[in-house]
């Protein structure tokens, strides 16, 4: 009996050993296969970027851009066929050739998955060209843009920006990895950016950096006398509580940066409570609501954005209870509003920097402003700039859990 049991166990071990070999082979194939598909996309997007930088390549690639109108409808069958021949067939042929060489050199069977993946692009483009049929992929479907640009993959709104916002940005085709590396995930060139708190230390630093990136800045300030005249900078005066009067100005704005605030430090009087929430939360929310009414038109979801300075106080102590409470309120409601997907809403989670609100800050406003734009151009939706390493861990956990809770237990007015 014992001998039979031992033989049985030996047989099971043998079968498990064979199974583990199979599992290991499948896992190895999956890893190399996934890598090859990712490599294919990186190569394709890199080639795309080169097409906009190298003149002799751009002559062929421009055929693709010439084939579409602003609503992504096709100009003509001839223009569409030219785009297939000079862009899609050429690009996918080069991709197949390069990936085939990689697969032959490395000798990993999983790499051939990338070759097959690239060949599907070549097959589809060849079919469309030789049959003379218009059969655009998802990112080129005509019609109004109904969703905001995705952060995880390239959707119609994301790719539309490459055609009609800035052709020297938004190069990615499926995964926005290359845009994040190159800093082409958001183009500020030619954008009209409105900025509250513009007379403050960070406001002035942000305005200066935005102008360097060829944006047009509208400084929304309650202290216009503190701002010097600059080329490309327009000063608009406003008063707390009169946010509705800014609607006409906000109609022409691409990006609204909500940056104004107060810090009452240790005070906890009724006046301190009221002013903290009014300035740091309620005024910002009113501006958001007004701006969201301007997100109209077939392409507005692709170009309109709101950036909100909620600060590191969302997850960390700021040694000022009312500042923390009011900023956390603002941050939580911003998370709630993001669920509606009306436009891109970015959070600025900033650590202590030297300003009128915090003379003991360890960072400079110029450093913070440069970091904000660096991360925004890489399409970060939560822009964390701080010297506190815990914030980089705590904030994503807090934001993810809050987002999930709000998504489960709240409903948009559109679904009611």
């Amino acid at each position: 009996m014992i001998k039979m049991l031992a033989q049985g166990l030996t047989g099971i071990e043998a079968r498990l050993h064979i199974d583990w070999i199979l599992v290991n082979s499948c896992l190895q194939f999956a890893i190399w296969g996934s890598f090859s598909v990712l490599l294919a996309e990186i190569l394709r997007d890199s080639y795309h970027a080169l097409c906009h930088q190298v003149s002799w390549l751009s002559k062929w690639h421009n055929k693709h851009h010439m084939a579409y109108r602003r609503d992504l409808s096709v100009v003509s069958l001839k223009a569409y066929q030219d785009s297939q021949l000079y862009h899609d067939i050429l690009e996918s042929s080069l991709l197949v050739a390069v990936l085939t060489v990689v697969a032959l050199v490395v000798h990993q069977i999983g790499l051939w998955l990338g070759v097959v993946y690239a060949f599907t692009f070549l097959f589809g483009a060849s079919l469309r060209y030789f049959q003379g049929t218009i059969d655009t992929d998802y990112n080129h479907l005509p019609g109004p843009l109904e969703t905001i640009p995705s952060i995880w993959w390239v959707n119609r709104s994301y790719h539309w920006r490459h055609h009609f916002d800035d052709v020297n940005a938004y190069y990615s085709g499926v995964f926005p990895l290359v845009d994040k590396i190159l800093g082409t995930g958001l183009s500020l060139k030619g954008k009209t950016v409105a900025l509250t708190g513009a007379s403050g230390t960070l406001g002035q630093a942000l305005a200066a950096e935005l102008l360097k990136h060829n944006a047009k800045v509208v400084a929304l300030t309650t202290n216009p006398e503190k701002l010097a005249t600059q080329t490309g900078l327009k000063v608009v005066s406003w008063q707390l509580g009169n946010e509705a009067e800014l609607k006409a100005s906000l109609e022409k704005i691409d990006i609204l940066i909500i940056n104004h605030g107060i810090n009452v430090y240790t005070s906890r009087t009724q006046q301190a409570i009221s002013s903290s929430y009014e300035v740091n939360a309620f005024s910002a929310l009113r501006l958001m609501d007004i701006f969201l009414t301007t997100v109209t038109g077939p392409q507005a979801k692709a170009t309109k954005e709101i950036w909100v300075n909620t600060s590191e106080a969302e997850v960390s102590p700021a040694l000022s209870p009312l500042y923390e409470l009011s900023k956390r309120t603002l941050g939580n409601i911003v998370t709630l509003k993001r669920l509606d997907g009306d436009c891109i809403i970015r959070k600025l989670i900033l650590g202590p920097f030297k300003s009128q609100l915090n003379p003991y800050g360890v960072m400079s406003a110029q450093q913070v402003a440069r970091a904000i734009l660096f991360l925004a151009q890489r399409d970060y939706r939560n822009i964390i700039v701080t010297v506190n390493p815990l914030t980089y861990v705590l904030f994503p956990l807090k934001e993810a859990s809050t987002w999930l809770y709000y998504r489960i237990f709240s409903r948009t007015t559109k679904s009611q």
Side-chain angles (χ1 to χ4, degrees):
M1 185 68 176
I2 295 174
K3 185 176 180 181
M4 291 176 61
L5 183 60
Q7 290 175 342
L9 289 172
T10 302
I12 293 173
E13 287 178 359
R15 286 195 296 273
L16 283 175
H17 180 66
I18 294 172
D19 288 343
W20 279 116
I21 291 175
L22 179 63
V23 168
N24 183 62
S25 298
C26 291
L27 186 61
Q28 193 174 35
F29 177 84
I31 291 172
W32 281 104
S34 299
F35 170 76
S36 67
V37 171
L38 182 61
L39 178 62
E41 284 302 323
I42 291 173
L43 291 172
R44 192 158 71 110
D45 295 344
S46 299
Y47 172 78
H48 187 185
L50 283 174
C51 285
H52 287 269
Q53 306 301 323
V54 180
S55 58
W56 59 274
L57 286 175
S58 66
K59 292 178 182 178
W60 297 332
H61 179 68
N62 284 342
K63 298 285 187 181
H64 174 73
H65 284 270
M66 293 167 62
Y68 297 96
R69 300 186 182 93
R70 192 172 178 83
D71 65 351
L72 289 178
S73 61
V74 174
V75 171
S76 67
L77 177 59
K78 175 66 167 58
Y80 185 75
Q81 282 186 293
D82 284 347
S83 77
Q84 296 303 303
L85 177 61
Y86 292 100
H87 171 65
D88 293 68
I89 290 178
L90 176 61
E91 178 189 75
S92 51
S93 296
L94 290 171
L95 193 60
V96 169
V98 172
L99 291 171
T100 299
V101 171
V102 172
L104 289 171
V105 170
V106 179
H107 297 295
Q108 285 289 340
I109 192 171
L111 289 174
W112 289 100
L113 186 62
V115 178
V116 174
Y117 177 73
F119 185 77
T120 61
F121 292 109
L122 177 58
F123 177 77
S126 300
L127 202 65
R128 291 190 291 270
Y129 175 72
F130 289 108
Q131 289 188 347
T133 57
I134 297 175
D135 183 21
T136 61
D137 60 274
Y138 172 75
N139 286 340
H140 292 93
L141 289 175
L145 304 176
E146 298 177 349
T147 58
I148 65 174
S150 173
I151 191 173
W152 302 112
W153 63 88
V154 175
N155 59 4
R156 291 179 63 235
S157 300
Y158 190 107
H159 189 66
W160 179 92
R161 295 185 298 180
H162 173 67
H163 279 266
F164 303 106
D165 180 20
D166 187 350
V167 295
N168 292 316
Y170 317 109
Y171 296 122
S172 297
V174 176
F175 309 110
L177 178 62
V178 167
D179 281 329
K180 290 187 183 299
I181 294 171
L182 296 179
T184 51
L186 170 66
S187 173
L188 295 169
K189 182 180 178 181
K191 291 285 196 307
T192 303
V193 183
L195 171 66
T196 69
S199 62
T201 306
L202 180 60
Q204 294 189 51
L206 273 171
E209 289 299 318
L210 286 164
L211 291 172
K212 290 179 184 177
H213 286 81
N214 299 314
K216 293 173 283 188
V217 179
V218 177
L220 304 177
T221 178
T222 56
N223 300 292
E225 69 283 352
K226 293 184 179 181
L227 291 172
T229 303
Q230 298 182 62
T231 303
L233 178 69
K234 178 183 178 182
V235 179
V236 174
S237 178
W238 71 289
Q239 295 298 321
L240 193 71
N242 295 335
E243 291 81 9
E245 295 178 3
L246 293 173
K247 183 173 182 179
S249 296
L250 295 179
E251 291 276 359
K252 305 171 185 177
I253 299 301
D254 298 306
I255 300 173
L256 171 63
I257 303 178
I258 299 174
N259 173 60
H260 63 285
I262 63 168
N263 191 343
V264 298
Y265 297 102
T266 59
S267 178
R268 59 170 184 261
T269 64
Q270 181 59 47
Q271 176 60 33
I273 295 171
S274 297
S275 58
S276 293
Y277 275 90
E278 180 63 20
V279 177
N280 292 342
F282 302 145
S283 172
L285 294 171
R286 288 195 295 268
L287 281 169
M288 286 184 67
D289 288 337
I290 294 166
F291 184 79
L292 289 173
T293 65
T294 71
V295 185
T296 57
Q299 286 95 36
K301 283 183 178 292
T303 56
K304 293 267 192 175
E305 295 194 12
I306 301 173
W307 303 4
V308 188
N309 182 357
T310 64
S311 105
E312 192 178 40
E314 273 207 73
V315 291
S316 301
L319 305 181
S320 177
L322 284 175
Y323 184 80
E324 295 166 19
L325 289 169
S326 55
K327 283 293 189 177
R328 287 171 189 168
T329 297
L330 174 63
N332 286 332
I333 298 180
V334 168
T335 301
L336 193 68
K337 285 182 173 292
R338 279 174 157 178
L339 294 173
D340 293 330
D342 293 315
C343 73
I344 289 176
I345 302 177
R346 303 182 195 274
K347 282 189 178 185
L348 310 182
I349 302 96
L350 310 180
F353 58 90
K354 290 184 180 180
S355 67
Q356 294 96 323
L357 296 185
N358 185 4
Y360 308 106
V362 295
M363 299 182 290
S364 73
Q366 289 73 24
Q367 289 174 321
V368 172
R370 284 194 291 268
I372 288 171
L373 297 192
F374 178 87
L375 294 173
Q377 289 180 296
R378 283 152 182 81
D379 201 24
Y380 281 76
R381 305 295 167 91
N382 295 315
I383 297 175
I384 304 175
V385 183
T386 181
V387 295
N388 182 2
L390 287 176
T391 303
Y392 293 95
V393 177
L394 296 177
F395 181 83
L397 292 174
K398 175 263 176 189
E399 189 69 8
S401 59
T402 303
W403 174 86
L404 182 61
Y405 176 75
Y406 290 168
R407 187 172 183 83
I408 293 173
F409 294 104
S410 68
R411 294 289 180 270
T412 176
T413 54
K414 299 173 186 176
S415 64
Q416 291 176 349

